[in-house]
Amino acid sequence: MPEATSTVTIADLATPADAEAFRTLNEAWITRYFTLEDEDRVFLSDPVGRVVEQGGAVLVARLDDQVVGCIGVVPTTPGVFELVKMAVSPDHQGHGTGRKLIAVALDRARELGARRVVLESNSQLASAVPLYEAFGFRHLGHDEVAPSPYVRADVHMVLDLA
């Protein structure tokens, strides 16, 4: 008899444990490559207040009962949302979890009225930038880049949903 395989599901952040997973998953990747910045601490300490209550959403990827990934989509200006704080547990990278998170986040942004989605990343994150490009995100020109609260942000991308 074949073994049952678990499937990653994506759902809204729903519990304090989900919020804690959002914080720890993001802190892990950020501190692995960079330094945790003040803006990181603000988002990670209060994802409900900083994202959900602002009209956005925090999504978590679950495998069985474990949160293995997360992403936020937060409004910045009318019709524009930003993808924030995407993280996938190192043991679950390379299995499509990030791709699923982005797809669901973009669908949610559309539902929330987004006409455009922006994001910031870093060129050291070798798998992230090509993944965003695969969804149709384009790199912003230097004259299009708004000031960032993150020192590490050296990649700025946009996706028009219209």
Side-chain angles (χ1 to χ4, degrees):
M1 190 160 133
E3 246 182 73
T5 56
S6 297
T7 303
V8 170
T9 58
I10 312 291
D12 285 287
L13 179 135
T15 67
D18 289 349
E20 180 64 12
F22 178 78
R23 185 184 65 76
T24 58
L25 284 168
N26 274 287
E27 284 180 354
W29 81 260
I30 293 167
T31 58
R32 179 176 175 197
Y33 295 99
F34 310 105
T35 299
L36 206 61
E37 299 181 47
D38 290 342
E39 190 75 359
D40 294 315
R41 290 181 185 91
V42 168
F43 268 92
L44 299 178
S45 66
D46 185 16
V48 172
R50 290 302 302 235
V51 180
V52 179
E53 290 175 357
Q54 303 304 313
V58 175
L59 304 165
V60 294
R62 286 191 180 83
L63 183 61
D64 301 319
D65 290 332
Q66 181 185 8
V67 174
V68 297
C70 57
I71 194 168
V73 57
V74 63
T76 58
T77 59
V80 180
F81 282 70
E82 182 177 10
L83 289 186
V84 297
K85 304 297 181 228
M86 184 170 105
V88 176
S89 168
D91 332 351
H92 295 93
Q93 291 176 2
H95 301 287
T97 302
R99 185 174 300 279
K100 285 182 181 180
L101 281 163
I102 293 169
V104 174
L106 291 175
D107 287 345
R108 181 62 60 85
R110 282 183 189 94
E111 290 168 14
L112 294 171
R115 293 184 313 278
R116 170 176 271 205
V117 177
V118 297
L119 65 84
E120 295 179 326
S121 189
N122 184 280
S123 53
Q124 290 181 47
L125 303 173
S127 59
V129 174
L131 182 57
Y132 298 133
E133 290 170 341
F135 275 92
F137 279 88
R138 71 170 174 85
H139 293 265
L140 291 173
H142 292 291
D143 59 329
E144 298 176 282
V145 175
S148 173
Y150 298 103
V151 171
R152 67 178 175 266
D154 68 354
V155 172
H156 307 271
M157 302 179 84
V158 64
L159 175 65
D160 289 311
L161 299 175

